[in-house]
Amino acid sequence: MIARILKEPLVHFLLIGGLIFATFSVQDDTPPAPDRDQIVITQADLATLSAQFEAAWKRQPQPDELNAMTQELIREKVLVRAALELGMDQNDAVINRRLSQKMEFFAASIAEAIEPQDGELEAFYQTNATDYQIAPQFALNQIYLGQKSTPETVATTLSALKEGEDPTELGQPTLLPARLDLTQSRALDSAFGTGFAAALSPLSMDEWVGPVKSGYGVHLVQITDKSPSTLPPLDQVADRVLSDWQSAKREEVQEQYYQTLRRGYEVTLPQTDGGS
Amino acid sequence: MHRNVIFRDNGDRARQVVPYTTQEPVGSPDPLKLYEYLENYEAKTNGAAMAFAHNGNLANGIMFPVDAQYTGREIDEFYVEQRAKWEPIYEVTQIKGDGEAHPFLSPDDEFADYGTWDLGNLDLSEAKTDDMLAGEYAREALKNGLLLEERLGTNPYQFGMIGATDSHNSLAAVEEENFFGKHSGYEPNAERLSHPFFESDNGTLYAWQMVSSGLAAVWAKDNTRASLFDAMDRKEVYATTGPRMTVRFFGGYDFSENDLRRRDVAAVGYAKGVPMGANLTEPEEGQAPSFLVAALRDPIGANLDRVQVIKGWLDADGNTHEKVYDVAWSDNRVADASGKIPAVGSTVDVSSATWANTIGAPELITVWTDPDFDPNQRAFYYARVLEIPTPPWYLYDVVKFGVDMPEGAPSEQQERAYTSPIWYSPKG
């Protein structure tokens, strides 16, 4: 039970929050003497600039390039500081979005550190089994009878097949494949038009049947193999399950975090009198 | 002028170089400098890369030069060799206009005027003049390539043809009923048709004139980056203006009517001939090349009107020529006295932006032999496949948003595919 509680994200927040609070309370909180004229560029700042440049250009910056980037950094710091003093960060949609995003990222980074417990992935995989199902597959032979066909043509072709005639000599020659190995429904639909795979579902195995409609017209079809929709074992889809579990966890933690923060505020909405 | 660069390799190699730009002094707008960069990439990483151009139609004459390079220097052996080496394909159709043929250059081709953008350069800062067109359109470039090959020994414009969207929204939504526009500013809305795409003293190009095009089709062995690259490198590719048509095109000397009964067109094609993008082999005395061409329409698209073979050649006096042959068509139409196949008709209903597959054919296949073959003349052949008329994308907008049809906008169009050519060179 204790172990369970220690794993709760909410507990992590309270602990982290407490820690931050404690750190600040033991610090000397008399404000430092305001020194607004100071902008300090450290060696670490320069190293960061060089690294950024190298990532883009695959080489170290020349001294004049580093100098230009440093001037740009100073410019940014001056403008940001002046803007803060003028209160320009207030009521700005872009800044508000960025700050709330940073809070969401903060919650997400905590979620990423959480590992699934024994059996937790298995349970997640069972609950969301439909996400991992493999669509039905069919293997088939087909004869194309043209854009339109008559019941007579269908009947004579079927009886010719019964008498053992070579299927590749029947119907119209076509660029469509005469024979397909086990193929997923989606691939069948993209080759023959939407709805073709669905039309195959009720057909029985091994015998020639028709007419079956496709985007191109009328076919006779012989299903030679099929594999129903199946749920692959967990170890075959473990990577996907883990990644889905992680994103579900992330959303859960973000929501808990928000609710925790939300409880610290009293929100007042405008009065509605129904008249305006 | 724009060029796309494609790497055969993954990030481990491609990340070793910085993308090339046209910006001086590090970059340059001179294509020869880009080729140098590609050469360096291959030497440094042992990888492979290619470049291809698009929007020759907006280049105001300088995409496919015959006399002077971009820098003004005379076109020499080095230029034609380099261009042939690094630019195996060309993007022949896209949203900013179709660049296969122009009615001024191909007055006898009744289907040459598709998605034509010929007011000027990209931003309309310079107006177009007729003398610029020859340096802009793919068919003319293919013809001039024969001329330059005769003169300099290498054909700089022996390119395969692909289509692309050039959309800036990562969407391949260039079918008429799903057109998502050139960029986020032209996503479907009631105002987009009447918005000026480019405007200057030289004229206005309206957003309705965007062409909902195109796609690149690649005949590759595997669906891997390397296999796709290799197929593009050997030009075994074709372009469509949006529909997912399947098109086969083989050239050889032994194709026969019997091959049409076969269901495995590719097996016959590779066994008896060469595929799109390749060179014909040597004919024996008295032989003329024949072409096995087969087209299957988009499984959820419009039927096919016809298949044409377009031939270009260079005569003994050094003049280039072209001719469009109808080789397969639907509905058992009969050629008129002049040998022309009558129009397929139309099922387009303007009030509802719909059409029906009650005309045309789901697939067309034929073997066509060049009736005018001269073994002493350089030539190329490519196939053009036309769909039956369908509503253009803006007609769907007109119906959906209840707005007026833009002034001067045609209410139907024929989408198409262009294969890469097959070339013939006389011996010696």
mmCIF file of all heavy atoms in Angstrom, chain A residues 176-220:
data_model
loop_
_atom_site.group_PDB
_atom_site.id
_atom_site.type_symbol
_atom_site.label_atom_id
_atom_site.label_comp_id
_atom_site.label_asym_id
_atom_site.label_seq_id
_atom_site.Cartn_x
_atom_site.Cartn_y
_atom_site.Cartn_z
ATOM 1 N N LEU A 176 -5.589 -5.786 -63.706
ATOM 2 C CA LEU A 176 -5.789 -6.147 -62.301
ATOM 3 C C LEU A 176 -5.182 -7.517 -62.058
ATOM 4 O O LEU A 176 -5.218 -8.381 -62.927
ATOM 5 C CB LEU A 176 -7.292 -6.182 -61.987
ATOM 6 C CG LEU A 176 -7.991 -4.841 -61.997
ATOM 7 C CD1 LEU A 176 -9.496 -5.031 -62.020
ATOM 8 C CD2 LEU A 176 -7.572 -4.021 -60.790
ATOM 9 N N PRO A 177 -4.616 -7.748 -60.874
ATOM 10 C CA PRO A 177 -3.982 -9.046 -60.624
ATOM 11 C C PRO A 177 -4.992 -10.186 -60.663
ATOM 12 O O PRO A 177 -6.078 -10.074 -60.102
ATOM 13 C CB PRO A 177 -3.375 -8.881 -59.223
ATOM 14 C CG PRO A 177 -4.078 -7.735 -58.614
ATOM 15 C CD PRO A 177 -4.503 -6.830 -59.731
ATOM 16 N N ALA A 178 -4.644 -11.277 -61.345
ATOM 17 C CA ALA A 178 -5.532 -12.438 -61.427
ATOM 18 C C ALA A 178 -5.472 -13.242 -60.134
ATOM 19 O O ALA A 178 -6.404 -13.955 -59.800
ATOM 20 C CB ALA A 178 -5.134 -13.310 -62.607
ATOM 21 N N ARG A 179 -4.355 -13.129 -59.413
ATOM 22 C CA ARG A 179 -4.165 -13.937 -58.206
ATOM 23 C C ARG A 179 -3.527 -13.058 -57.142
ATOM 24 O O ARG A 179 -2.604 -12.284 -57.421
ATOM 25 C CB ARG A 179 -3.219 -15.092 -58.521
ATOM 26 C CG ARG A 179 -3.133 -16.171 -57.473
ATOM 27 C CD ARG A 179 -2.140 -17.225 -57.923
ATOM 28 N NE ARG A 179 -0.779 -16.750 -57.752
ATOM 29 C CZ ARG A 179 -0.055 -16.929 -56.638
ATOM 30 N NH1 ARG A 179 -0.562 -17.601 -55.630
ATOM 31 N NH2 ARG A 179 1.170 -16.460 -56.552
ATOM 32 N N LEU A 180 -4.051 -13.182 -55.923
ATOM 33 C CA LEU A 180 -3.474 -12.399 -54.827
ATOM 34 C C LEU A 180 -3.195 -13.308 -53.645
ATOM 35 O O LEU A 180 -4.051 -14.090 -53.244
ATOM 36 C CB LEU A 180 -4.443 -11.303 -54.388
ATOM 37 C CG LEU A 180 -4.488 -10.029 -55.229
ATOM 38 C CD1 LEU A 180 -5.757 -9.254 -54.939
ATOM 39 C CD2 LEU A 180 -3.272 -9.162 -54.950
ATOM 40 N N ASP A 181 -1.988 -13.211 -53.074
ATOM 41 C CA ASP A 181 -1.702 -13.896 -51.812
ATOM 42 C C ASP A 181 -2.394 -13.150 -50.682
ATOM 43 O O ASP A 181 -2.961 -12.087 -50.900
ATOM 44 C CB ASP A 181 -0.186 -13.937 -51.578
ATOM 45 C CG ASP A 181 0.510 -14.768 -52.642
ATOM 46 O OD1 ASP A 181 -0.130 -15.729 -53.130
ATOM 47 O OD2 ASP A 181 1.661 -14.466 -53.007
ATOM 48 N N LEU A 182 -2.332 -13.710 -49.478
ATOM 49 C CA LEU A 182 -3.012 -13.086 -48.336
ATOM 50 C C LEU A 182 -2.729 -11.588 -48.290
ATOM 51 O O LEU A 182 -1.577 -11.157 -48.190
ATOM 52 C CB LEU A 182 -2.551 -13.738 -47.030
ATOM 53 C CG LEU A 182 -3.363 -14.953 -46.558
ATOM 54 C CD1 LEU A 182 -2.824 -15.459 -45.223
ATOM 55 C CD2 LEU A 182 -4.851 -14.662 -46.477
ATOM 56 N N THR A 183 -3.785 -10.802 -48.401
ATOM 57 C CA THR A 183 -3.672 -9.353 -48.531
ATOM 58 C C THR A 183 -4.635 -8.688 -47.558
ATOM 59 O O THR A 183 -5.781 -9.113 -47.417
ATOM 60 C CB THR A 183 -4.029 -8.924 -49.968
ATOM 61 O OG1 THR A 183 -3.225 -9.671 -50.877
ATOM 62 C CG2 THR A 183 -3.792 -7.451 -50.185
ATOM 63 N N GLN A 184 -4.164 -7.641 -46.910
ATOM 64 C CA GLN A 184 -5.011 -6.919 -45.953
ATOM 65 C C GLN A 184 -6.176 -6.219 -46.658
ATOM 66 O O GLN A 184 -6.035 -5.746 -47.791
ATOM 67 C CB GLN A 184 -4.178 -5.857 -45.243
ATOM 68 C CG GLN A 184 -3.130 -6.444 -44.331
ATOM 69 C CD GLN A 184 -3.270 -5.930 -42.910
ATOM 70 O OE1 GLN A 184 -4.236 -5.233 -42.595
ATOM 71 N NE2 GLN A 184 -2.318 -6.279 -42.070
ATOM 72 N N SER A 185 -7.277 -6.100 -45.944
ATOM 73 C CA SER A 185 -8.473 -5.473 -46.514
ATOM 74 C C SER A 185 -8.195 -4.108 -47.114
ATOM 75 O O SER A 185 -8.696 -3.770 -48.186
ATOM 76 C CB SER A 185 -9.547 -5.313 -45.431
ATOM 77 O OG SER A 185 -9.740 -6.519 -44.775
ATOM 78 N N ARG A 186 -7.389 -3.338 -46.398
ATOM 79 C CA ARG A 186 -7.146 -1.970 -46.886
ATOM 80 C C ARG A 186 -6.431 -1.977 -48.224
ATOM 81 O O ARG A 186 -6.742 -1.197 -49.111
ATOM 82 C CB ARG A 186 -6.313 -1.201 -45.856
ATOM 83 C CG ARG A 186 -7.036 0.008 -45.317
ATOM 84 C CD ARG A 186 -6.179 0.708 -44.310
ATOM 85 N NE ARG A 186 -5.139 1.502 -44.969
ATOM 86 C CZ ARG A 186 -4.225 2.179 -44.298
ATOM 87 N NH1 ARG A 186 -4.211 2.152 -42.988
ATOM 88 N NH2 ARG A 186 -3.326 2.882 -44.955
ATOM 89 N N ALA A 187 -5.465 -2.884 -48.379
ATOM 90 C CA ALA A 187 -4.733 -2.964 -49.639
ATOM 91 C C ALA A 187 -5.659 -3.453 -50.751
ATOM 92 O O ALA A 187 -5.563 -2.993 -51.895
ATOM 93 C CB ALA A 187 -3.534 -3.889 -49.486
ATOM 94 N N LEU A 188 -6.558 -4.372 -50.416
ATOM 95 C CA LEU A 188 -7.524 -4.837 -51.418
ATOM 96 C C LEU A 188 -8.412 -3.687 -51.870
ATOM 97 O O LEU A 188 -8.676 -3.512 -53.065
ATOM 98 C CB LEU A 188 -8.396 -5.956 -50.826
ATOM 99 C CG LEU A 188 -7.725 -7.321 -50.700
ATOM 100 C CD1 LEU A 188 -8.592 -8.260 -49.863
ATOM 101 C CD2 LEU A 188 -7.471 -7.926 -52.082
ATOM 102 N N ASP A 189 -8.874 -2.904 -50.915
ATOM 103 C CA ASP A 189 -9.738 -1.768 -51.259
ATOM 104 C C ASP A 189 -8.987 -0.738 -52.094
ATOM 105 O O ASP A 189 -9.574 -0.119 -52.988
ATOM 106 C CB ASP A 189 -10.285 -1.104 -49.988
ATOM 107 C CG ASP A 189 -11.548 -1.792 -49.488
ATOM 108 O OD1 ASP A 189 -11.960 -2.785 -50.121
ATOM 109 O OD2 ASP A 189 -12.128 -1.336 -48.480
ATOM 110 N N SER A 190 -7.701 -0.554 -51.822
ATOM 111 C CA SER A 190 -7.001 0.469 -52.614
ATOM 112 C C SER A 190 -6.685 -0.040 -54.015
ATOM 113 O O SER A 190 -6.481 0.749 -54.926
ATOM 114 C CB SER A 190 -5.770 1.007 -51.895
ATOM 115 O OG SER A 190 -4.826 -0.009 -51.719
ATOM 116 N N ALA A 191 -6.672 -1.347 -54.223
ATOM 117 C CA ALA A 191 -6.452 -1.865 -55.580
ATOM 118 C C ALA A 191 -7.756 -2.007 -56.360
ATOM 119 O O ALA A 191 -7.784 -1.776 -57.573
ATOM 120 C CB ALA A 191 -5.735 -3.210 -55.523
ATOM 121 N N PHE A 192 -8.833 -2.385 -55.677
ATOM 122 C CA PHE A 192 -10.089 -2.681 -56.385
ATOM 123 C C PHE A 192 -11.192 -1.655 -56.122
ATOM 124 O O PHE A 192 -12.258 -1.748 -56.716
ATOM 125 C CB PHE A 192 -10.607 -4.060 -55.977
ATOM 126 C CG PHE A 192 -9.806 -5.206 -56.565
ATOM 127 C CD1 PHE A 192 -8.674 -5.683 -55.916
ATOM 128 C CD2 PHE A 192 -10.172 -5.782 -57.770
ATOM 129 C CE1 PHE A 192 -7.929 -6.717 -56.457
ATOM 130 C CE2 PHE A 192 -9.427 -6.826 -58.309
ATOM 131 C CZ PHE A 192 -8.306 -7.299 -57.659
ATOM 132 N N GLY A 193 -10.939 -0.709 -55.243
ATOM 133 C CA GLY A 193 -11.960 0.281 -54.917
ATOM 134 C C GLY A 193 -12.591 -0.013 -53.564
ATOM 135 O O GLY A 193 -12.659 -1.167 -53.124
ATOM 136 N N THR A 194 -13.060 1.054 -52.917
ATOM 137 C CA THR A 194 -13.614 0.929 -51.571
ATOM 138 C C THR A 194 -14.798 -0.043 -51.559
ATOM 139 O O THR A 194 -15.651 0.016 -52.432
ATOM 140 C CB THR A 194 -14.075 2.327 -51.089
ATOM 141 O OG1 THR A 194 -13.076 3.269 -51.469
ATOM 142 C CG2 THR A 194 -14.280 2.362 -49.598
ATOM 143 N N GLY A 195 -14.813 -0.911 -50.558
ATOM 144 C CA GLY A 195 -15.938 -1.825 -50.404
ATOM 145 C C GLY A 195 -15.689 -3.223 -50.931
ATOM 146 O O GLY A 195 -16.461 -4.139 -50.656
ATOM 147 N N PHE A 196 -14.601 -3.398 -51.683
ATOM 148 C CA PHE A 196 -14.338 -4.707 -52.275
ATOM 149 C C PHE A 196 -14.070 -5.757 -51.191
ATOM 150 O O PHE A 196 -14.629 -6.854 -51.213
ATOM 151 C CB PHE A 196 -13.161 -4.619 -53.247
ATOM 152 C CG PHE A 196 -12.928 -5.868 -54.055
ATOM 153 C CD1 PHE A 196 -13.826 -6.234 -55.056
ATOM 154 C CD2 PHE A 196 -11.830 -6.685 -53.806
ATOM 155 C CE1 PHE A 196 -13.611 -7.384 -55.808
ATOM 156 C CE2 PHE A 196 -11.616 -7.838 -54.554
ATOM 157 C CZ PHE A 196 -12.512 -8.182 -55.558
ATOM 158 N N ALA A 197 -13.240 -5.401 -50.218
ATOM 159 C CA ALA A 197 -12.892 -6.356 -49.153
ATOM 160 C C ALA A 197 -14.139 -6.748 -48.362
ATOM 161 O O ALA A 197 -14.319 -7.923 -48.011
ATOM 162 C CB ALA A 197 -11.827 -5.768 -48.237
ATOM 163 N N ALA A 198 -15.006 -5.767 -48.114
ATOM 164 C CA ALA A 198 -16.228 -6.062 -47.358
ATOM 165 C C ALA A 198 -17.095 -7.062 -48.113
ATOM 166 O O ALA A 198 -17.740 -7.935 -47.515
ATOM 167 C CB ALA A 198 -16.994 -4.774 -47.090
ATOM 168 N N ALA A 199 -17.093 -6.957 -49.446
ATOM 169 C CA ALA A 199 -17.899 -7.870 -50.257
ATOM 170 C C ALA A 199 -17.352 -9.294 -50.211
ATOM 171 O O ALA A 199 -18.074 -10.256 -50.503
ATOM 172 C CB ALA A 199 -17.952 -7.368 -51.702
ATOM 173 N N LEU A 200 -16.081 -9.445 -49.862
ATOM 174 C CA LEU A 200 -15.474 -10.788 -49.817
ATOM 175 C C LEU A 200 -15.820 -11.518 -48.525
ATOM 176 O O LEU A 200 -15.830 -12.752 -48.486
ATOM 177 C CB LEU A 200 -13.952 -10.683 -49.932
ATOM 178 C CG LEU A 200 -13.388 -10.030 -51.197
ATOM 179 C CD1 LEU A 200 -11.875 -9.954 -51.109
ATOM 180 C CD2 LEU A 200 -13.809 -10.805 -52.442
ATOM 181 N N SER A 201 -16.087 -10.769 -47.457
ATOM 182 C CA SER A 201 -16.270 -11.367 -46.134
ATOM 183 C C SER A 201 -17.246 -12.544 -46.104
ATOM 184 O O SER A 201 -16.935 -13.571 -45.522
ATOM 185 C CB SER A 201 -16.707 -10.305 -45.123
ATOM 186 O OG SER A 201 -15.661 -9.414 -44.931
ATOM 187 N N PRO A 202 -18.429 -12.396 -46.697
ATOM 188 C CA PRO A 202 -19.389 -13.505 -46.562
ATOM 189 C C PRO A 202 -19.114 -14.687 -47.503
ATOM 190 O O PRO A 202 -19.814 -15.706 -47.391
ATOM 191 C CB PRO A 202 -20.727 -12.841 -46.913
ATOM 192 C CG PRO A 202 -20.385 -11.690 -47.774
ATOM 193 C CD PRO A 202 -19.007 -11.256 -47.399
ATOM 194 N N LEU A 203 -18.148 -14.587 -48.400
ATOM 195 C CA LEU A 203 -17.965 -15.636 -49.406
ATOM 196 C C LEU A 203 -17.329 -16.877 -48.791
ATOM 197 O O LEU A 203 -16.460 -16.794 -47.938
ATOM 198 C CB LEU A 203 -17.094 -15.130 -50.549
ATOM 199 C CG LEU A 203 -17.596 -13.879 -51.268
ATOM 200 C CD1 LEU A 203 -16.691 -13.552 -52.449
ATOM 201 C CD2 LEU A 203 -19.037 -14.050 -51.741
ATOM 202 N N SER A 204 -17.768 -18.042 -49.309
ATOM 203 C CA SER A 204 -17.200 -19.278 -48.790
ATOM 204 C C SER A 204 -15.897 -19.588 -49.523
ATOM 205 O O SER A 204 -15.636 -19.079 -50.606
ATOM 206 C CB SER A 204 -18.191 -20.422 -48.947
ATOM 207 O OG SER A 204 -18.689 -20.434 -50.268
ATOM 208 N N MET A 205 -15.103 -20.453 -48.895
ATOM 209 C CA MET A 205 -13.765 -20.732 -49.406
ATOM 210 C C MET A 205 -13.788 -21.652 -50.620
ATOM 211 O O MET A 205 -14.683 -22.475 -50.780
ATOM 212 C CB MET A 205 -12.928 -21.405 -48.309
ATOM 213 C CG MET A 205 -12.584 -20.513 -47.148
ATOM 214 S SD MET A 205 -11.025 -19.682 -47.425
ATOM 215 C CE MET A 205 -9.884 -21.054 -47.265
ATOM 216 N N ASP A 206 -12.796 -21.496 -51.456
ATOM 217 C CA ASP A 206 -12.409 -22.464 -52.486
ATOM 218 C C ASP A 206 -13.303 -22.539 -53.709
ATOM 219 O O ASP A 206 -12.852 -22.947 -54.775
ATOM 220 C CB ASP A 206 -12.237 -23.869 -51.897
ATOM 221 C CG ASP A 206 -11.066 -23.904 -50.928
ATOM 222 O OD1 ASP A 206 -10.096 -23.150 -51.169
ATOM 223 O OD2 ASP A 206 -11.140 -24.630 -49.923
ATOM 224 N N GLU A 207 -14.569 -22.166 -53.612
ATOM 225 C CA GLU A 207 -15.377 -22.262 -54.830
ATOM 226 C C GLU A 207 -15.478 -20.898 -55.520
ATOM 227 O O GLU A 207 -15.426 -19.853 -54.878
ATOM 228 C CB GLU A 207 -16.760 -22.824 -54.513
ATOM 229 C CG GLU A 207 -17.515 -22.030 -53.480
ATOM 230 C CD GLU A 207 -18.871 -22.658 -53.211
ATOM 231 O OE1 GLU A 207 -19.536 -23.009 -54.196
ATOM 232 O OE2 GLU A 207 -19.234 -22.795 -52.031
ATOM 233 N N TRP A 208 -15.606 -20.955 -56.846
ATOM 234 C CA TRP A 208 -15.788 -19.727 -57.618
ATOM 235 C C TRP A 208 -17.195 -19.207 -57.393
ATOM 236 O O TRP A 208 -18.166 -19.957 -57.517
ATOM 237 C CB TRP A 208 -15.572 -20.003 -59.097
ATOM 238 C CG TRP A 208 -14.122 -20.069 -59.456
ATOM 239 C CD1 TRP A 208 -13.372 -21.194 -59.582
ATOM 240 C CD2 TRP A 208 -13.265 -18.960 -59.741
ATOM 241 N NE1 TRP A 208 -12.083 -20.874 -59.917
ATOM 242 C CE2 TRP A 208 -11.982 -19.506 -60.030
ATOM 243 C CE3 TRP A 208 -13.425 -17.580 -59.770
ATOM 244 C CZ2 TRP A 208 -10.890 -18.705 -60.349
ATOM 245 C CZ3 TRP A 208 -12.341 -16.787 -60.090
ATOM 246 C CH2 TRP A 208 -11.084 -17.347 -60.374
ATOM 247 N N VAL A 209 -17.288 -17.915 -57.040
ATOM 248 C CA VAL A 209 -18.606 -17.308 -56.825
ATOM 249 C C VAL A 209 -18.653 -15.925 -57.481
ATOM 250 O O VAL A 209 -17.626 -15.320 -57.780
ATOM 251 C CB VAL A 209 -18.935 -17.160 -55.322
ATOM 252 C CG1 VAL A 209 -19.312 -18.485 -54.723
ATOM 253 C CG2 VAL A 209 -17.766 -16.532 -54.576
ATOM 254 N N GLY A 210 -19.835 -15.455 -57.698
ATOM 255 C CA GLY A 210 -20.010 -14.129 -58.272
ATOM 256 C C GLY A 210 -21.462 -13.898 -58.613
ATOM 257 O O GLY A 210 -22.271 -14.818 -58.477
ATOM 258 N N PRO A 211 -21.794 -12.726 -59.038
ATOM 259 C CA PRO A 211 -20.921 -11.576 -59.301
ATOM 260 C C PRO A 211 -20.489 -10.846 -58.024
ATOM 261 O O PRO A 211 -21.280 -10.726 -57.105
ATOM 262 C CB PRO A 211 -21.808 -10.671 -60.153
ATOM 263 C CG PRO A 211 -23.207 -10.984 -59.738
ATOM 264 C CD PRO A 211 -23.211 -12.437 -59.357
ATOM 265 N N VAL A 212 -19.236 -10.377 -58.013
ATOM 266 C CA VAL A 212 -18.736 -9.521 -56.937
ATOM 267 C C VAL A 212 -18.392 -8.175 -57.574
ATOM 268 O O VAL A 212 -17.678 -8.138 -58.574
ATOM 269 C CB VAL A 212 -17.481 -10.136 -56.279
ATOM 270 C CG1 VAL A 212 -16.939 -9.198 -55.198
ATOM 271 C CG2 VAL A 212 -17.792 -11.503 -55.694
ATOM 272 N N LYS A 213 -18.908 -7.101 -56.985
ATOM 273 C CA LYS A 213 -18.696 -5.769 -57.579
ATOM 274 C C LYS A 213 -17.417 -5.129 -57.040
ATOM 275 O O LYS A 213 -17.101 -5.250 -55.862
ATOM 276 C CB LYS A 213 -19.877 -4.854 -57.227
ATOM 277 C CG LYS A 213 -21.208 -5.278 -57.813
ATOM 278 C CD LYS A 213 -21.418 -4.728 -59.201
ATOM 279 C CE LYS A 213 -21.899 -3.277 -59.149
ATOM 280 N NZ LYS A 213 -22.046 -2.729 -60.516
ATOM 281 N N SER A 214 -16.702 -4.458 -57.934
ATOM 282 C CA SER A 214 -15.553 -3.652 -57.515
ATOM 283 C C SER A 214 -15.698 -2.268 -58.113
ATOM 284 O O SER A 214 -16.690 -1.989 -58.808
ATOM 285 C CB SER A 214 -14.249 -4.282 -58.009
ATOM 286 O OG SER A 214 -14.048 -3.951 -59.370
ATOM 287 N N GLY A 215 -14.715 -1.428 -57.905
ATOM 288 C CA GLY A 215 -14.711 -0.110 -58.539
ATOM 289 C C GLY A 215 -14.653 -0.204 -60.054
ATOM 290 O O GLY A 215 -15.021 0.736 -60.755
ATOM 291 N N TYR A 216 -14.173 -1.312 -60.566
ATOM 292 C CA TYR A 216 -14.008 -1.461 -62.013
ATOM 293 C C TYR A 216 -15.191 -2.146 -62.682
ATOM 294 O O TYR A 216 -15.340 -2.074 -63.891
ATOM 295 C CB TYR A 216 -12.734 -2.264 -62.320
ATOM 296 C CG TYR A 216 -11.496 -1.528 -61.901
ATOM 297 C CD1 TYR A 216 -10.820 -1.884 -60.737
ATOM 298 C CD2 TYR A 216 -11.024 -0.459 -62.649
ATOM 299 C CE1 TYR A 216 -9.691 -1.190 -60.339
ATOM 300 C CE2 TYR A 216 -9.892 0.237 -62.250
ATOM 301 C CZ TYR A 216 -9.233 -0.130 -61.099
ATOM 302 O OH TYR A 216 -8.131 0.566 -60.704
ATOM 303 N N GLY A 217 -15.972 -2.869 -61.928
ATOM 304 C CA GLY A 217 -17.094 -3.579 -62.542
ATOM 305 C C GLY A 217 -17.368 -4.887 -61.832
ATOM 306 O O GLY A 217 -17.409 -4.940 -60.608
ATOM 307 N N VAL A 218 -17.534 -5.963 -62.653
ATOM 308 C CA VAL A 218 -18.054 -7.221 -62.119
ATOM 309 C C VAL A 218 -16.961 -8.293 -62.176
ATOM 310 O O VAL A 218 -16.260 -8.420 -63.183
ATOM 311 C CB VAL A 218 -19.275 -7.678 -62.948
ATOM 312 C CG1 VAL A 218 -19.869 -8.949 -62.377
ATOM 313 C CG2 VAL A 218 -20.318 -6.571 -62.982
ATOM 314 N N HIS A 219 -16.849 -9.063 -61.099
ATOM 315 C CA HIS A 219 -15.832 -10.128 -61.020
ATOM 316 C C HIS A 219 -16.455 -11.439 -60.563
ATOM 317 O O HIS A 219 -17.489 -11.453 -59.895
ATOM 318 C CB HIS A 219 -14.751 -9.779 -59.992
ATOM 319 C CG HIS A 219 -14.111 -8.455 -60.215
ATOM 320 N ND1 HIS A 219 -12.856 -8.312 -60.741
ATOM 321 C CD2 HIS A 219 -14.563 -7.190 -59.987
ATOM 322 C CE1 HIS A 219 -12.554 -7.024 -60.816
ATOM 323 N NE2 HIS A 219 -13.581 -6.326 -60.368
ATOM 324 N N LEU A 220 -15.771 -12.533 -60.922
ATOM 325 C CA LEU A 220 -15.967 -13.800 -60.227
ATOM 326 C C LEU A 220 -14.748 -13.980 -59.339
ATOM 327 O O LEU A 220 -13.624 -13.653 -59.731
ATOM 328 C CB LEU A 220 -16.061 -14.956 -61.221
ATOM 329 C CG LEU A 220 -17.237 -14.891 -62.208
ATOM 330 C CD1 LEU A 220 -17.237 -16.128 -63.086
ATOM 331 C CD2 LEU A 220 -18.562 -14.732 -61.481
#
